Amino acid sequence: MKVAQEIRVGNVIMQGKDPMIVLRTEYSRGGRGAATVRMKLKALLSNMGTESVFKADDKMDQVILDQKECTYSYFADPMYVFMDDEFNQYEVESGNMGDAMNYLEDGMSVEVVFYDGKAISVELPTSVEREITWTEPAVKGDTSGKVLKPAKIATGFEVPVPLFVNQGDKIEIDTRTGEYRKRV
């Protein structure tokens, strides 16, 4: 059990019978009133979002989720299929994949997150290397400040990149923000 003011972004708590992931917390202390914590939550199983306000000393059950390293195998509409080292297959619904779909490649190593033995989502490495499949050529003289141009990777995801990046170059992308890091 944890009190509400100790809960951080990324923690999973039980609210009623639903496991909820904390997306944002905001601690506030009133003049004469008790301190409160406003949380933006998302249900792990149904992806429904909600906002709740708790007293700072409310007790909550924190859920520890299991994770297993797996590799991406294939897409079977509407499920993404992953396989572990023992050749067990796990299916994750496309609605629970979030931004991970933008970076998936065959054979890519990811962490599959489980709740009660059911695969519910995927955690990617913090950065991935991808090849640019399309980008416009740089316009000479357009260099006042930090100028970015759109570039697409094999999945069709568009990343803003600096002007010196060309088609066929490999780049490193931060999967948390979707931003270009460097050319590899």
Side-chain angles (χ1 to χ4, degrees):
M1 297 284 274
K2 276 191 165 184
V3 292
Q5 67 186 13
E6 294 176 349
I7 301 294
R8 301 287 176 245
V9 174
N11 290 151
V12 178
I13 59 172
M14 290 299 286
Q15 188 174 20
K17 294 182 180 179
D18 296 329
M20 309 284 271
I21 187 162
V22 179
L23 301 176
R24 190 178 71 225
T25 62
E26 186 178 307
Y27 179 81
S28 62
R29 188 176 166 132
R32 292 187 343 201
T36 59
V37 179
R38 178 182 301 272
M39 292 185 194
K40 185 173 183 180
L41 306 167
K42 183 176 85 169
L44 278 178
L45 303 177
S46 64
N47 270 346
M48 298 295 294
T50 184
E51 278 199 30
S52 300
V53 178
F54 303 97
K55 291 180 184 171
D57 57 352
D58 283 349
K59 294 190 185 298
M60 302 178 170
D61 288 329
Q62 185 176 3
V63 179
I64 305 299
L65 299 174
D66 297 327
Q67 290 187 340
K68 189 179 232 182
E69 188 162 331
C70 297
T71 56
Y72 173 60
S73 294
Y74 59 91
F75 175 67
D77 199 15
M79 302 293 219
Y80 284 84
V81 181
F82 298 88
M83 188 179 297
D84 66 5
D85 295 339
E86 297 156 6
F87 303 107
N88 297 321
Q89 290 188 348
Y90 305 103
E91 295 179 339
V92 178
E93 294 179 28
S94 58
N96 293 347
M97 291 292 290
D99 291 338
M101 295 184 296
N102 298 331
Y103 308 105
L104 279 181
E105 278 187 341
D106 287 341
M108 181 178 175
S109 184
V110 297
E111 293 280 329
V112 177
V113 179
F114 294 89
Y115 174 72
D116 275 348
K118 181 182 179 230
I120 56 170
S121 68
V122 171
E123 287 193 14
L124 297 173
T126 56
S127 65
V128 293
E129 290 181 10
R130 295 291 177 262
E131 184 176 334
I132 300 293
T133 57
W134 173 87
T135 190
E136 295 174 354
V139 178
K140 192 170 185 149
D142 189 12
T143 56
S144 62
K146 185 177 180 183
V147 181
L148 300 174
K149 63 180 180 177
K152 286 189 180 180
I153 58 174
T155 60
F157 182 62
E158 202 167 278
V159 180
V161 297
L163 292 176
F164 60 82
V165 175
N166 298 315
Q167 188 169 322
D169 288 352
K170 284 192 174 261
I171 62 168
E172 187 174 305
I173 304 170
D174 188 334
T175 59
R176 298 166 293 186
T177 60
E179 295 176 348
Y180 163 88
R181 273 195 175 163
K182 63 182 180 181
R183 187 166 57 174
V184 183

